[in-house]
PDB file of all heavy atoms in Angstrom:
ATOM      1  N   GLY A 189       0.800  -1.209   0.000  1.00  0.00           N
ATOM      2  CA  GLY A 189       0.000   0.000   0.000  1.00  0.00           C
ATOM      3  C   GLY A 189       0.838   1.266   0.000  1.00  0.00           C
ATOM      4  O   GLY A 189       0.775   2.072   0.931  1.00  0.00           O
ATOM      5  N   PHE A 190       1.634   1.473  -1.039  1.00  0.00           N
ATOM      6  CA  PHE A 190       2.383   2.719  -1.205  1.00  0.00           C
ATOM      7  C   PHE A 190       2.554   2.974  -2.691  1.00  0.00           C
ATOM      8  O   PHE A 190       2.089   2.188  -3.522  1.00  0.00           O
ATOM      9  CB  PHE A 190       3.737   2.672  -0.484  1.00  0.00           C
ATOM     10  CG  PHE A 190       4.700   1.647  -1.024  1.00  0.00           C
ATOM     11  CD1 PHE A 190       5.637   1.985  -1.984  1.00  0.00           C
ATOM     12  CD2 PHE A 190       4.688   0.344  -0.554  1.00  0.00           C
ATOM     13  CE1 PHE A 190       6.525   1.046  -2.480  1.00  0.00           C
ATOM     14  CE2 PHE A 190       5.581  -0.602  -1.038  1.00  0.00           C
ATOM     15  CZ  PHE A 190       6.499  -0.253  -2.001  1.00  0.00           C
ATOM     16  N   TYR A 191       3.215   4.078  -3.082  1.00  0.00           N
ATOM     17  CA  TYR A 191       3.289   4.459  -4.480  1.00  0.00           C
ATOM     18  C   TYR A 191       4.487   3.818  -5.170  1.00  0.00           C
ATOM     19  O   TYR A 191       5.629   4.206  -4.979  1.00  0.00           O
ATOM     20  CB  TYR A 191       3.347   5.989  -4.625  1.00  0.00           C
ATOM     21  CG  TYR A 191       2.035   6.632  -4.304  1.00  0.00           C
ATOM     22  CD1 TYR A 191       1.878   7.421  -3.170  1.00  0.00           C
ATOM     23  CD2 TYR A 191       0.931   6.420  -5.121  1.00  0.00           C
ATOM     24  CE1 TYR A 191       0.654   7.998  -2.869  1.00  0.00           C
ATOM     25  CE2 TYR A 191      -0.292   6.990  -4.817  1.00  0.00           C
ATOM     26  CZ  TYR A 191      -0.419   7.773  -3.695  1.00  0.00           C
ATOM     27  OH  TYR A 191      -1.638   8.330  -3.394  1.00  0.00           O
ATOM     28  N   HIS A 192       4.191   2.808  -5.983  1.00  0.00           N
ATOM     29  CA  HIS A 192       5.198   2.253  -6.878  1.00  0.00           C
ATOM     30  C   HIS A 192       5.425   3.230  -8.029  1.00  0.00           C
ATOM     31  O   HIS A 192       4.563   4.047  -8.360  1.00  0.00           O
ATOM     32  CB  HIS A 192       4.722   0.917  -7.439  1.00  0.00           C
ATOM     33  CG  HIS A 192       4.622  -0.158  -6.407  1.00  0.00           C
ATOM     34  ND1 HIS A 192       5.694  -0.924  -6.029  1.00  0.00           N
ATOM     35  CD2 HIS A 192       3.571  -0.598  -5.678  1.00  0.00           C
ATOM     36  CE1 HIS A 192       5.306  -1.794  -5.115  1.00  0.00           C
ATOM     37  NE2 HIS A 192       4.032  -1.618  -4.876  1.00  0.00           N
ATOM     38  N   ALA A 193       6.590   3.117  -8.685  1.00  0.00           N
ATOM     39  CA  ALA A 193       6.949   4.080  -9.724  1.00  0.00           C
ATOM     40  C   ALA A 193       7.551   3.379 -10.931  1.00  0.00           C
ATOM     41  O   ALA A 193       8.383   2.479 -10.790  1.00  0.00           O
ATOM     42  CB  ALA A 193       7.963   5.092  -9.173  1.00  0.00           C
ATOM     43  N   ILE A 194       7.120   3.804 -12.122  1.00  0.00           N
ATOM     44  CA  ILE A 194       7.778   3.450 -13.376  1.00  0.00           C
ATOM     45  C   ILE A 194       8.107   4.755 -14.092  1.00  0.00           C
ATOM     46  O   ILE A 194       7.201   5.508 -14.460  1.00  0.00           O
ATOM     47  CB  ILE A 194       6.902   2.573 -14.274  1.00  0.00           C
ATOM     48  CG1 ILE A 194       6.550   1.254 -13.587  1.00  0.00           C
ATOM     49  CG2 ILE A 194       7.613   2.297 -15.601  1.00  0.00           C
ATOM     50  CD1 ILE A 194       5.642   0.353 -14.405  1.00  0.00           C
ATOM     51  N   PRO A 195       9.389   5.088 -14.284  1.00  0.00           N
ATOM     52  CA  PRO A 195       9.738   6.243 -15.110  1.00  0.00           C
ATOM     53  C   PRO A 195       9.565   5.885 -16.584  1.00  0.00           C
ATOM     54  O   PRO A 195       9.920   4.796 -17.018  1.00  0.00           O
ATOM     55  CB  PRO A 195      11.216   6.492 -14.777  1.00  0.00           C
ATOM     56  CG  PRO A 195      11.525   5.612 -13.602  1.00  0.00           C
ATOM     57  CD  PRO A 195      10.570   4.470 -13.678  1.00  0.00           C
ATOM     58  N   ALA A 196       8.991   6.810 -17.357  1.00  0.00           N
ATOM     59  CA  ALA A 196       8.753   6.557 -18.779  1.00  0.00           C
ATOM     60  C   ALA A 196       8.572   7.884 -19.499  1.00  0.00           C
ATOM     61  O   ALA A 196       7.975   8.816 -18.946  1.00  0.00           O
ATOM     62  CB  ALA A 196       7.518   5.676 -18.976  1.00  0.00           C
ATOM     63  N   ASP A 197       9.048   7.960 -20.738  1.00  0.00           N
ATOM     64  CA  ASP A 197       8.840   9.149 -21.557  1.00  0.00           C
ATOM     65  C   ASP A 197       7.463   9.048 -22.198  1.00  0.00           C
ATOM     66  O   ASP A 197       7.295   8.487 -23.278  1.00  0.00           O
ATOM     67  CB  ASP A 197       9.932   9.254 -22.624  1.00  0.00           C
ATOM     68  CG  ASP A 197       9.789  10.490 -23.501  1.00  0.00           C
ATOM     69  OD1 ASP A 197       8.896  11.311 -23.230  1.00  0.00           O
ATOM     70  OD2 ASP A 197      10.559  10.623 -24.477  1.00  0.00           O
ATOM     71  N   LEU A 198       6.457   9.583 -21.527  1.00  0.00           N
ATOM     72  CA  LEU A 198       5.081   9.510 -22.007  1.00  0.00           C
ATOM     73  C   LEU A 198       4.738  10.630 -22.971  1.00  0.00           C
ATOM     74  O   LEU A 198       3.758  10.534 -23.716  1.00  0.00           O
ATOM     75  CB  LEU A 198       4.100   9.578 -20.829  1.00  0.00           C
ATOM     76  CG  LEU A 198       4.237   8.506 -19.750  1.00  0.00           C
ATOM     77  CD1 LEU A 198       3.149   8.684 -18.700  1.00  0.00           C
ATOM     78  CD2 LEU A 198       4.171   7.120 -20.349  1.00  0.00           C
ATOM     79  N   CYS A 199       5.536  11.712 -22.953  1.00  0.00           N
ATOM     80  CA  CYS A 199       5.204  12.895 -23.744  1.00  0.00           C
ATOM     81  C   CYS A 199       6.109  13.061 -24.961  1.00  0.00           C
ATOM     82  O   CYS A 199       5.931  14.010 -25.733  1.00  0.00           O
ATOM     83  CB  CYS A 199       5.287  14.148 -22.869  1.00  0.00           C
ATOM     84  SG  CYS A 199       4.153  14.078 -21.466  1.00  0.00           S
ATOM     85  N   GLY A 200       7.071  12.153 -25.140  1.00  0.00           N
ATOM     86  CA  GLY A 200       7.871  12.152 -26.356  1.00  0.00           C
ATOM     87  C   GLY A 200       8.889  13.251 -26.466  1.00  0.00           C
ATOM     88  O   GLY A 200       9.396  13.522 -27.561  1.00  0.00           O
ATOM     89  N   ASP A 201       9.237  13.938 -25.364  1.00  0.00           N
ATOM     90  CA  ASP A 201      10.233  15.011 -25.437  1.00  0.00           C
ATOM     91  C   ASP A 201      11.572  14.587 -24.839  1.00  0.00           C
ATOM     92  O   ASP A 201      12.406  15.427 -24.518  1.00  0.00           O
ATOM     93  CB  ASP A 201       9.725  16.282 -24.745  1.00  0.00           C
ATOM     94  CG  ASP A 201       9.381  16.066 -23.275  1.00  0.00           C
ATOM     95  OD1 ASP A 201       9.659  14.968 -22.747  1.00  0.00           O
ATOM     96  OD2 ASP A 201       8.842  16.996 -22.654  1.00  0.00           O
ATOM     97  N   ARG A 202      11.768  13.253 -24.683  1.00  0.00           N
ATOM     98  CA  ARG A 202      12.997  12.632 -24.202  1.00  0.00           C
ATOM     99  C   ARG A 202      13.215  12.803 -22.705  1.00  0.00           C
ATOM    100  O   ARG A 202      14.129  12.238 -22.145  1.00  0.00           O
ATOM    101  CB  ARG A 202      14.236  13.127 -24.991  1.00  0.00           C
ATOM    102  CG  ARG A 202      14.216  12.699 -26.434  1.00  0.00           C
ATOM    103  CD  ARG A 202      15.409  13.233 -27.216  1.00  0.00           C
ATOM    104  NE  ARG A 202      16.690  12.792 -26.663  1.00  0.00           N
ATOM    105  CZ  ARG A 202      17.228  11.598 -26.860  1.00  0.00           C
ATOM    106  NH1 ARG A 202      16.584  10.687 -27.578  1.00  0.00           N
ATOM    107  NH2 ARG A 202      18.406  11.289 -26.350  1.00  0.00           N
ATOM    108  N   ARG A 203      12.381  13.579 -22.039  1.00  0.00           N
ATOM    109  CA  ARG A 203      12.411  13.639 -20.588  1.00  0.00           C
ATOM    110  C   ARG A 203      11.468  12.572 -20.044  1.00  0.00           C
ATOM    111  O   ARG A 203      10.418  12.319 -20.629  1.00  0.00           O
ATOM    112  CB  ARG A 203      11.995  15.019 -20.097  1.00  0.00           C
ATOM    113  CG  ARG A 203      12.851  16.148 -20.612  1.00  0.00           C
ATOM    114  CD  ARG A 203      12.388  17.489 -20.085  1.00  0.00           C
ATOM    115  NE  ARG A 203      10.990  17.756 -20.415  1.00  0.00           N
ATOM    116  CZ  ARG A 203      10.318  18.820 -19.977  1.00  0.00           C
ATOM    117  NH1 ARG A 203      10.905  19.694 -19.172  1.00  0.00           N
ATOM    118  NH2 ARG A 203       9.059  19.002 -20.331  1.00  0.00           N
ATOM    119  N   GLU A 204      11.842  11.980 -18.907  1.00  0.00           N
ATOM    120  CA  GLU A 204      10.998  10.945 -18.343  1.00  0.00           C
ATOM    121  C   GLU A 204       9.934  11.533 -17.423  1.00  0.00           C
ATOM    122  O   GLU A 204      10.219  12.410 -16.600  1.00  0.00           O
ATOM    123  CB  GLU A 204      11.840   9.928 -17.568  1.00  0.00           C
ATOM    124  CG  GLU A 204      12.637   9.014 -18.476  1.00  0.00           C
ATOM    125  CD  GLU A 204      13.334   7.900 -17.718  1.00  0.00           C
ATOM    126  OE1 GLU A 204      13.639   8.089 -16.524  1.00  0.00           O
ATOM    127  OE2 GLU A 204      13.605   6.855 -18.344  1.00  0.00           O
ATOM    128  N   GLU A 205       8.721  11.015 -17.573  1.00  0.00           N
ATOM    129  CA  GLU A 205       7.652  11.277 -16.627  1.00  0.00           C
ATOM    130  C   GLU A 205       7.659  10.170 -15.561  1.00  0.00           C
ATOM    131  O   GLU A 205       8.413   9.207 -15.652  1.00  0.00           O
ATOM    132  CB  GLU A 205       6.302  11.296 -17.333  1.00  0.00           C
ATOM    133  CG  GLU A 205       5.979  12.601 -18.043  1.00  0.00           C
ATOM    134  CD  GLU A 205       6.881  12.856 -19.244  1.00  0.00           C
ATOM    135  OE1 GLU A 205       7.072  11.939 -20.067  1.00  0.00           O
ATOM    136  OE2 GLU A 205       7.393  13.979 -19.366  1.00  0.00           O
ATOM    137  N   LEU A 206       6.792  10.327 -14.575  1.00  0.00           N
ATOM    138  CA  LEU A 206       6.637   9.315 -13.530  1.00  0.00           C
ATOM    139  C   LEU A 206       5.214   8.775 -13.545  1.00  0.00           C
ATOM    140  O   LEU A 206       4.251   9.544 -13.536  1.00  0.00           O
ATOM    141  CB  LEU A 206       6.919   9.917 -12.144  1.00  0.00           C
ATOM    142  CG  LEU A 206       8.363   9.881 -11.664  1.00  0.00           C
ATOM    143  CD1 LEU A 206       8.512  10.714 -10.401  1.00  0.00           C
ATOM    144  CD2 LEU A 206       8.829   8.455 -11.400  1.00  0.00           C
ATOM    145  N   VAL A 207       5.097   7.455 -13.576  1.00  0.00           N
ATOM    146  CA  VAL A 207       3.823   6.772 -13.411  1.00  0.00           C
ATOM    147  C   VAL A 207       3.802   6.225 -11.983  1.00  0.00           C
ATOM    148  O   VAL A 207       4.637   5.389 -11.624  1.00  0.00           O
ATOM    149  CB  VAL A 207       3.662   5.626 -14.419  1.00  0.00           C
ATOM    150  CG1 VAL A 207       2.306   4.936 -14.243  1.00  0.00           C
ATOM    151  CG2 VAL A 207       3.830   6.134 -15.845  1.00  0.00           C
ATOM    152  N   LEU A 208       2.876   6.699 -11.165  1.00  0.00           N
ATOM    153  CA  LEU A 208       2.810   6.322  -9.752  1.00  0.00           C
ATOM    154  C   LEU A 208       1.444   5.730  -9.434  1.00  0.00           C
ATOM    155  O   LEU A 208       0.418   6.224  -9.914  1.00  0.00           O
ATOM    156  CB  LEU A 208       3.031   7.539  -8.843  1.00  0.00           C
ATOM    157  CG  LEU A 208       4.307   8.355  -9.023  1.00  0.00           C
ATOM    158  CD1 LEU A 208       4.341   9.496  -8.023  1.00  0.00           C
ATOM    159  CD2 LEU A 208       5.529   7.490  -8.872  1.00  0.00           C
ATOM    160  N   TRP A 209       1.431   4.695  -8.604  1.00  0.00           N
ATOM    161  CA  TRP A 209       0.164   4.104  -8.175  1.00  0.00           C
ATOM    162  C   TRP A 209       0.325   3.390  -6.842  1.00  0.00           C
ATOM    163  O   TRP A 209       1.396   2.910  -6.507  1.00  0.00           O
ATOM    164  CB  TRP A 209      -0.370   3.127  -9.227  1.00  0.00           C
ATOM    165  CG  TRP A 209       0.393   1.845  -9.328  1.00  0.00           C
ATOM    166  CD1 TRP A 209       0.085   0.640  -8.751  1.00  0.00           C
ATOM    167  CD2 TRP A 209       1.627   1.634 -10.029  1.00  0.00           C
ATOM    168  NE1 TRP A 209       1.037  -0.298  -9.051  1.00  0.00           N
ATOM    169  CE2 TRP A 209       2.002   0.276  -9.839  1.00  0.00           C
ATOM    170  CE3 TRP A 209       2.459   2.445 -10.809  1.00  0.00           C
ATOM    171  CZ2 TRP A 209       3.150  -0.275 -10.385  1.00  0.00           C
ATOM    172  CZ3 TRP A 209       3.609   1.901 -11.354  1.00  0.00           C
ATOM    173  CH2 TRP A 209       3.939   0.568 -11.139  1.00  0.00           C
ATOM    174  N   ASP A 210      -0.752   3.351  -6.103  1.00  0.00           N
ATOM    175  CA  ASP A 210      -0.902   2.582  -4.879  1.00  0.00           C
ATOM    176  C   ASP A 210      -1.807   1.405  -5.230  1.00  0.00           C
ATOM    177  O   ASP A 210      -2.963   1.607  -5.603  1.00  0.00           O
ATOM    178  CB  ASP A 210      -1.528   3.469  -3.803  1.00  0.00           C
ATOM    179  CG  ASP A 210      -1.884   2.737  -2.515  1.00  0.00           C
ATOM    180  OD1 ASP A 210      -1.887   1.497  -2.508  1.00  0.00           O
ATOM    181  OD2 ASP A 210      -2.191   3.420  -1.519  1.00  0.00           O
ATOM    182  N   PRO A 211      -1.319   0.155  -5.160  1.00  0.00           N
ATOM    183  CA  PRO A 211      -2.139  -0.994  -5.582  1.00  0.00           C
ATOM    184  C   PRO A 211      -3.404  -1.201  -4.766  1.00  0.00           C
ATOM    185  O   PRO A 211      -4.241  -2.024  -5.147  1.00  0.00           O
ATOM    186  CB  PRO A 211      -1.183  -2.182  -5.407  1.00  0.00           C
ATOM    187  CG  PRO A 211       0.179  -1.595  -5.464  1.00  0.00           C
ATOM    188  CD  PRO A 211       0.056  -0.251  -4.822  1.00  0.00           C
ATOM    189  N   THR A 212      -3.553  -0.473  -3.663  1.00  0.00           N
ATOM    190  CA  THR A 212      -4.773  -0.599  -2.864  1.00  0.00           C
ATOM    191  C   THR A 212      -5.755   0.532  -3.149  1.00  0.00           C
ATOM    192  O   THR A 212      -6.748   0.674  -2.434  1.00  0.00           O
ATOM    193  CB  THR A 212      -4.430  -0.592  -1.364  1.00  0.00           C
ATOM    194  OG1 THR A 212      -3.992   0.719  -0.982  1.00  0.00           O
ATOM    195  CG2 THR A 212      -3.348  -1.602  -1.029  1.00  0.00           C
ATOM    196  N   ALA A 213      -5.483   1.342  -4.193  1.00  0.00           N
ATOM    197  CA  ALA A 213      -6.301   2.531  -4.448  1.00  0.00           C
ATOM    198  C   ALA A 213      -6.868   2.515  -5.864  1.00  0.00           C
ATOM    199  O   ALA A 213      -6.745   1.530  -6.591  1.00  0.00           O
ATOM    200  CB  ALA A 213      -5.484   3.794  -4.175  1.00  0.00           C
ATOM    201  N   ARG A 214      -7.455   3.646  -6.289  1.00  0.00           N
ATOM    202  CA  ARG A 214      -8.247   3.690  -7.521  1.00  0.00           C
ATOM    203  C   ARG A 214      -7.711   4.657  -8.561  1.00  0.00           C
ATOM    204  O   ARG A 214      -8.388   4.905  -9.571  1.00  0.00           O
ATOM    205  CB  ARG A 214      -9.690   4.073  -7.191  1.00  0.00           C
ATOM    206  CG  ARG A 214     -10.414   3.068  -6.316  1.00  0.00           C
ATOM    207  CD  ARG A 214     -11.823   3.531  -6.018  1.00  0.00           C
ATOM    208  NE  ARG A 214     -11.820   4.745  -5.203  1.00  0.00           N
ATOM    209  CZ  ARG A 214     -12.833   5.604  -5.143  1.00  0.00           C
ATOM    210  NH1 ARG A 214     -13.917   5.398  -5.862  1.00  0.00           N
ATOM    211  NH2 ARG A 214     -12.753   6.657  -4.358  1.00  0.00           N
ATOM    212  N   PHE A 215      -6.517   5.214  -8.335  1.00  0.00           N
ATOM    213  CA  PHE A 215      -6.020   6.226  -9.248  1.00  0.00           C
ATOM    214  C   PHE A 215      -4.577   5.930  -9.650  1.00  0.00           C
ATOM    215  O   PHE A 215      -3.824   5.308  -8.904  1.00  0.00           O
ATOM    216  CB  PHE A 215      -6.091   7.622  -8.607  1.00  0.00           C
ATOM    217  CG  PHE A 215      -7.491   8.080  -8.312  1.00  0.00           C
ATOM    218  CD1 PHE A 215      -8.050   7.875  -7.054  1.00  0.00           C
ATOM    219  CD2 PHE A 215      -8.253   8.699  -9.288  1.00  0.00           C
ATOM    220  CE1 PHE A 215      -9.340   8.285  -6.770  1.00  0.00           C
ATOM    221  CE2 PHE A 215      -9.547   9.106  -9.015  1.00  0.00           C
ATOM    222  CZ  PHE A 215     -10.090   8.905  -7.762  1.00  0.00           C
ATOM    223  N   VAL A 216      -4.221   6.422 -10.846  1.00  0.00           N
ATOM    224  CA  VAL A 216      -2.841   6.431 -11.322  1.00  0.00           C
ATOM    225  C   VAL A 216      -2.444   7.888 -11.501  1.00  0.00           C
ATOM    226  O   VAL A 216      -3.193   8.670 -12.112  1.00  0.00           O
ATOM    227  CB  VAL A 216      -2.695   5.674 -12.657  1.00  0.00           C
ATOM    228  CG1 VAL A 216      -1.241   5.687 -13.116  1.00  0.00           C
ATOM    229  CG2 VAL A 216      -3.204   4.244 -12.518  1.00  0.00           C
ATOM    230  N   PHE A 217      -1.282   8.267 -10.955  1.00  0.00           N
ATOM    231  CA  PHE A 217      -0.817   9.655 -11.032  1.00  0.00           C
ATOM    232  C   PHE A 217       0.347   9.733 -12.013  1.00  0.00           C
ATOM    233  O   PHE A 217       1.314   8.968 -11.910  1.00  0.00           O
ATOM    234  CB  PHE A 217      -0.370  10.147  -9.653  1.00  0.00           C
ATOM    235  CG  PHE A 217      -1.487  10.270  -8.658  1.00  0.00           C
ATOM    236  CD1 PHE A 217      -1.939   9.158  -7.959  1.00  0.00           C
ATOM    237  CD2 PHE A 217      -2.104  11.486  -8.432  1.00  0.00           C
ATOM    238  CE1 PHE A 217      -2.972   9.259  -7.044  1.00  0.00           C
ATOM    239  CE2 PHE A 217      -3.147  11.607  -7.514  1.00  0.00           C
ATOM    240  CZ  PHE A 217      -3.576  10.487  -6.822  1.00  0.00           C
ATOM    241  N   LEU A 218       0.247  10.666 -12.965  1.00  0.00           N
ATOM    242  CA  LEU A 218       1.306  10.890 -13.945  1.00  0.00           C
ATOM    243  C   LEU A 218       1.891  12.276 -13.705  1.00  0.00           C
ATOM    244  O   LEU A 218       1.160  13.271 -13.708  1.00  0.00           O
ATOM    245  CB  LEU A 218       0.757  10.792 -15.370  1.00  0.00           C
ATOM    246  CG  LEU A 218      -0.112   9.574 -15.704  1.00  0.00           C
ATOM    247  CD1 LEU A 218      -0.570   9.631 -17.161  1.00  0.00           C
ATOM    248  CD2 LEU A 218       0.630   8.287 -15.421  1.00  0.00           C
ATOM    249  N   TYR A 219       3.201  12.333 -13.501  1.00  0.00           N
ATOM    250  CA  TYR A 219       3.896  13.598 -13.258  1.00  0.00           C
ATOM    251  C   TYR A 219       4.888  13.874 -14.370  1.00  0.00           C
ATOM    252  O   TYR A 219       5.547  12.962 -14.868  1.00  0.00           O
ATOM    253  CB  TYR A 219       4.638  13.567 -11.914  1.00  0.00           C
ATOM    254  CG  TYR A 219       3.731  13.750 -10.729  1.00  0.00           C
ATOM    255  CD1 TYR A 219       3.121  12.660 -10.122  1.00  0.00           C
ATOM    256  CD2 TYR A 219       3.453  15.023 -10.243  1.00  0.00           C
ATOM    257  CE1 TYR A 219       2.263  12.829  -9.039  1.00  0.00           C
ATOM    258  CE2 TYR A 219       2.597  15.201  -9.159  1.00  0.00           C
ATOM    259  CZ  TYR A 219       2.003  14.103  -8.569  1.00  0.00           C
ATOM    260  OH  TYR A 219       1.155  14.286  -7.500  1.00  0.00           O
TER     261      TYR A 219
END
């Protein structure tokens, strides 16, 4: 029950974003 993280370039500008989620919750946060 905490925020796992996968860094990934979701916006295509070569900078990595963060995909965060708590497996016990209902939302995914993208930073």
Side-chain angles (χ1 to χ4, degrees):
F190 64 94
Y191 288 111
H192 293 275
I194 299 178
D197 181 5
L198 302 183
C199 300
D201 59 7
R202 294 178 59 79
R203 302 180 303 175
E204 286 187 333
E205 279 68 47
L206 271 170
V207 181
L208 304 181
W209 72 98
D210 173 347
T212 70
R214 297 179 294 158
F215 296 94
V216 181
F217 293 82
L218 311 180
Y219 283 89

